Amino acid sequence: MRSNRVRVLITGVAALAIGIYAEIGFSEDNAINRNGPSEVAIAKGLKWLISVQGKDGGWGQDGGETSYVRQGERLESKGNDVANTAVVAEALLHSGSLATRGEYREQLQRAVDFILRHVEQSPIEGLAVTDQQGTQIQRKLGPYIDTFLTSKLLADLDGTMPDTRSNARVRVDLQKCVAKIEKAQLKDGSWNLSGGWAPILGTSMASQSLQIAQTKGAVNSLVAMDRVDKYTVESAAGVGGGVAGGVMASTGATSSSVTVDGAAGVPLYKRAQELEQLSRTEKDRQKNATHIKEITKQLAEPKFVTGFGSIGGEEFFSYLNISESLRRTGGPEWKKWSADMNAKLLQLQNEDGTWAGHHCITGRVAVTSAAILLLTANREVAPVIPTSAKQRR
């Protein structure tokens, strides 16, 4: 009974805090051509994702039910998992569906409920929000990528749910995820935990979730955010260690000096993390202008942009970091990157509306969701951190 009373008290406080937020959404460009190639591709991808949602509200590596798995795809785990479901939910959210409105609001609500059940069933101690292990996305991005992706999703959802009770539920579960992430931060400031091929992408997701939650007033993670900032700057300069992660790939002379700890030897993964992390505010962009310019120049190198040598899910997630950074300031760099990325994605889309990775993260669910997020990147205004939250700078 005591634990129930405590939970009611926490929920009530969270509900009060959330009450200061009006329902938010992702703003869209009114000039969007719904019949344009990109919009048609997005619609096809979303339709496929919805068609393979599992009865439990979740998705796995290649679909929500075993019968949806394509012939020749080797499943690395059984059942639906939190990480894949969280990426799909982000794609639904960023393409215009909220829990309160939008074409796929019911499917989004089912996905969110699937995720929240896992968070609530997980122990307070430890970083995991699921007892499922060995999924493809975990093996590539780290064993706790479910937690990082869930935290980012819940931070995005915070304040957008249909009623006070569901908003409070999201807030409490977000705070649980954030507490797990803060406690698990490594001494170097990263979350490059062993057990994944390219855990730097997990570090990026963890950091972004803290930043969004901080902006919304859901948590106070300034200390952890300072530490990951420091890690990013120092690792970019070749200072410190971290988990190497995976095999070392040949990257060419231009990029060979890049520090790639936690990035499987692929400069794209680390550089994309740096670009997103170090460009969040105008003050950040001024302070890190030289480094940002250096990375931006590398985007003109096809070998650098290709990443590992073929395009897998890791490349898609890295492209998302680059898009998030470049759209903050706009200009010719963003316009060129966005146009090039849209053309690449349209070329890579399969007839059934899906995208699939060609190495490592090959599953259609995560890669299709990431592709949709890339195609919708120009719809949203990049998050702005209030001045009061940035006085630490």
Side-chain angles (χ1 to χ4, degrees):
M1 288 296 292
R2 183 177 181 275
S3 62
N4 287 339
R5 288 197 298 272
V6 170
R7 182 171 179 79
V8 169
L9 176 61
I10 293 173
T11 302
V13 172
L16 179 63
I18 293 167
I20 66 173
Y21 291 99
E23 183 181 286
I24 63 172
F26 291 92
S27 60
E28 296 189 10
D29 184 346
N30 292 329
I32 287 175
N33 178 7
R34 295 297 176 184
N35 295 317
S38 294
E39 293 304 311
V40 171
I42 291 167
K44 287 178 65 177
L46 289 171
K47 184 177 180 180
W48 180 83
L49 286 169
I50 295 304
S51 73
V52 298
Q53 186 175 23
K55 294 177 181 178
D56 59 3
W59 283 265
Q61 175 181 326
D62 216 53
E65 304 289 344
T66 305
S67 59
Y68 298 140
V69 178
R70 65 196 144 147
Q71 188 174 6
E73 176 71 1
R74 186 179 71 85
L75 293 184
E76 299 184 35
S77 60
K78 294 181 179 179
N80 297 329
D81 62 82
V82 173
N84 274 294
T85 304
V87 182
V88 177
E90 285 277 21
L92 295 176
L93 185 65
H94 285 252
S95 59
S97 291
L98 292 170
T100 55
R101 64 177 184 268
E103 184 177 1
Y104 298 122
R105 63 184 179 277
E106 293 181 6
Q107 290 86 351
L108 176 61
Q109 287 179 330
R110 290 176 59 212
V112 172
D113 190 58
F114 173 91
I115 292 167
L116 294 178
R117 291 198 305 270
H118 280 81
V119 174
E120 290 158 2
Q121 291 167 9
S122 68
I124 294 176
E125 298 301 322
L127 186 51
V129 295
T130 177
D131 57 7
Q132 191 169 14
Q133 299 179 346
T135 65
Q136 184 181 79
I137 197 168
Q138 287 174 349
R139 292 181 59 246
K140 304 308 177 184
L141 304 187
Y144 303 105
I145 190 62
D146 305 77
T147 305
F148 304 147
L149 287 170
T150 292
S151 185
K152 185 175 185 300
L153 171 67
L154 297 184
D156 280 334
L157 286 169
D158 186 66
T160 71
M161 300 301 285
D163 53 56
T164 301
R165 183 175 180 179
S166 55
N167 268 317
R169 185 186 182 194
V170 166
R171 173 64 67 89
V172 169
D173 287 359
L174 169 60
Q175 291 171 335
K176 182 177 182 178
C177 290
V178 168
K180 286 173 172 285
I181 290 170
E182 289 178 331
K183 290 178 183 177
Q185 191 173 24
L186 298 177
K187 290 182 180 180
D188 67 358
S190 78
W191 289 271
N192 292 345
L193 297 152
S194 61
W197 188 69
I200 190 64
L201 292 167
T203 287
S204 183
M205 296 294 178
S207 175
Q208 289 179 58
S209 78
L210 296 185
Q211 180 257 323
I212 298 168
Q214 178 77 30
T215 300
K216 290 190 173 183
V219 299
N220 184 354
S221 296
L222 295 180
V223 173
M225 291 166 66
D226 274 334
R227 292 180 65 200
V228 71
D229 272 356
K230 184 179 179 182
Y231 157 77
T232 303
V233 171
E234 290 185 349
S235 60
V239 179
V243 177
V247 299
M248 299 299 290
S250 175
T251 55
T254 307
S255 306
S256 61
S257 62
V258 178
T259 300
V260 288
D261 60 315
V266 182
L268 172 70
Y269 306 164
K270 183 66 174 69
R271 288 296 218 180
Q273 179 269 332
E274 293 167 11
L275 191 61
E276 191 284 322
Q277 181 76 38
L278 300 179
S279 65
R280 290 179 179 172
T281 68
E282 182 59 34
K283 189 172 183 179
D284 288 335
R285 291 188 285 275
Q286 292 175 1
K287 182 171 64 175
N288 302 302
T290 300
H291 189 57
I292 290 170
K293 184 177 181 180
E294 179 185 348
I295 299 174
T296 304
K297 284 176 62 178
Q298 286 188 293
L299 300 181
E301 303 174 23
K303 193 167 186 178
F304 172 80
V305 175
T306 303
F308 183 69
S310 60
I311 298 179
E314 293 83 351
E315 278 70 26
F316 279 77
F317 285 112
S318 296
Y319 298 156
L320 278 171
N321 276 340
I322 294 169
S323 291
E324 183 66 24
S325 175
L326 294 181
R327 74 172 182 183
R328 288 169 179 154
T329 52
E333 291 87 359
W334 164 238
K335 289 181 179 179
K336 184 179 187 309
W337 171 263
S338 180
D340 290 349
M341 191 53 53
N342 279 22
K344 181 190 291 286
L345 291 168
L346 293 178
Q347 186 177 23
L348 290 172
Q349 189 174 30
N350 299 315
E351 286 295 325
D352 62 359
T354 65
W355 285 265
H358 298 159
H359 75 86
C360 294
I361 299 178
T362 60
R364 291 180 295 178
V365 168
V367 179
T368 297
S369 300
I372 291 170
L373 287 168
L374 282 165
L375 288 170
T376 57
N378 62 347
R379 294 189 186 184
E380 298 94 34
V381 176
V384 176
I385 302 176
T387 302
S388 61
K390 294 296 295 180
Q391 290 178 349
R392 63 192 178 89
R393 297 289 185 184

